[in-house]
């Protein structure tokens, strides 16, 4: 790997997402903060928890789809064919895009921390840490699933497949929530929160490790696909 080439590929992807969003990227940054202000001012738990879940879901989905937005930009502008002319190898282009996806995840986690502190006002930092961990785990896993799809299929199909996959995953989670008895879910949650390595729950450590493994394997799969793809 050539880190200079990876850095160049990362900068190009940042430029592409800014050009593709046409300024709306700043709206996506501000929107979660707006969603966090009102519940934080009201201070009602009946509002806080649903809204905190909505903010977490928004940040997870938007950050996971960032890489797909770059594919959409390339498809609309026809710039994907120009990638072969870049002084960056295909492998380093892929690593650069995964570095870009990881950068967006870091931004999403920081935004989640700010939103959580605005909503819970330092009263429940454990809840804030849990929401941050959710984004840190779920977003790289989804990005790791989405990016190989983006390299394998045209952007329009890839985005469609990604949205369908999101609905399938969301539907499966809703199905589990409604079919599994509350007593079982409570026992699972009690185990998750009580099993800790120092102050950190085991589930957070395992989740981060699983996300890292999926992300790395996804990167290798995308390299395999892209190196054999005709531009």
């Amino acid at each position: 790997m050539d880190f200079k080439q990876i850095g160049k590929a990362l900068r190009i992807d940042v430029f592409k997402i800014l050009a593709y969003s046409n300024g709306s990227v700043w709206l996506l940054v501000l929107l979660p903060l707006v969603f966090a202000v009102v519940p934080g001012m009201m201070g009602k738990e009946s509002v806080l928890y649903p809204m905190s879940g909505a903010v977490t879901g928004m940040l997870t989905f938007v950050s996971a789809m960032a890489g797909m937005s770059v594919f959409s930009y390339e498809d609309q502008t026809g710039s994907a064919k120009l990638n072969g002319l870049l002084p960056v190898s295909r492998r380093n282009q892929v690593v650069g895009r995964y570095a870009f996806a990881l950068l967006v995840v870091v931004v999403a986690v920081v935004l989640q921390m700010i939103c959580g502190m605005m909503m819970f006002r330092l009263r429940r930092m454990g809840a804030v840490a849990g929401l941050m961990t959710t984004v840190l785990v779920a977003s790289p896993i989804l990005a790791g699933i989405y990016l190989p799809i983006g390299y394998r299929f045209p952007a329009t199909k890839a985005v469609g497949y990604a949205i369908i996959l999101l609905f399938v995953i969301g539907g499966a989670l809703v199905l589990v929530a409604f079919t599994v008895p509350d007593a079982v879910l409570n026992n699972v949650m009690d185990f998750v929160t009580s099993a800790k390595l120092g102050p950190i729950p085991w589930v957070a450590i395992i989740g981060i490790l699983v996300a890292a493994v999926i992300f790395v394997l996804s990167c290798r799969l995308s390299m395999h696909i892209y190196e054999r793809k005709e531009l």
Side-chain angles (χ1 to χ4, degrees):
M1 285 192 299
D2 187 323
F3 289 103
K4 287 185 178 180
Q5 289 190 8
I6 293 171
K8 184 176 294 185
L10 171 60
R11 291 193 298 273
I12 291 173
D13 279 357
V14 170
F15 168 78
K16 287 178 178 178
I17 199 68
L18 292 175
Y20 178 70
S21 64
N22 196 25
S24 63
V25 66
W26 305 114
L27 177 62
L28 294 175
V29 171
L30 292 174
L31 195 58
L33 299 175
V34 173
F35 271 65
V37 168
V38 177
M41 293 175 63
M42 295 177 64
K44 294 182 179 180
E45 291 193 359
S46 60
V47 178
L48 278 176
Y49 286 103
M51 290 304 294
S52 64
V55 169
T56 301
M58 183 191 310
L59 288 171
T60 299
F61 176 70
V62 171
S63 57
M65 288 292 290
M68 300 298 288
S69 298
V70 180
F71 288 118
S72 296
Y73 172 84
E74 292 177 341
D75 183 64
Q76 290 185 9
T77 60
S79 59
K81 296 180 180 180
L82 300 178
N83 289 339
L85 303 177
L86 293 174
V88 180
S89 69
R90 291 198 178 196
R91 293 176 68 88
N92 287 327
Q93 286 183 39
V94 172
V95 176
R97 184 147 304 175
Y98 274 76
F100 167 73
L102 197 58
L103 176 63
V104 176
V105 170
V106 171
V107 173
V109 171
V110 173
L111 281 173
Q112 179 64 78
M113 179 185 68
I114 296 172
C115 291
M117 293 174 68
M118 289 171 64
M119 285 189 279
F120 294 100
R121 297 188 180 180
L122 303 180
R123 291 173 297 179
R124 297 186 178 178
M125 290 306 295
V128 176
L131 295 173
M132 292 170 61
T133 303
T134 300
V135 177
L136 184 60
V137 171
S139 185
I141 289 176
L142 287 175
I145 296 171
Y146 291 162
L147 287 171
I149 296 175
Y151 279 109
R152 175 62 180 82
F153 299 101
T156 305
K157 287 186 177 180
V159 172
Y161 292 152
I163 293 174
I164 292 172
L165 183 60
L166 180 69
F167 277 106
V168 170
I169 295 173
L173 293 175
V174 171
L175 184 64
V176 169
F178 278 99
T179 56
V180 176
D182 291 341
V184 175
L185 291 176
N186 290 335
N187 289 335
V188 171
M189 291 304 299
D190 289 340
F191 171 76
V192 166
T193 54
S194 62
K196 297 183 178 181
L197 178 63
I200 307 175
W202 272 109
V203 68
I205 298 172
I206 294 173
I208 292 171
L209 290 175
V210 168
V213 170
I214 291 175
F215 200 72
V216 171
L217 292 178
S218 171
C219 184
R220 293 185 66 86
L221 176 60
S222 293
M223 286 180 184
H224 177 78
I225 295 171
Y226 192 50
E227 286 181 333
R228 289 159 178 75
K229 186 175 184 179
E230 292 185 8
L231 297 179

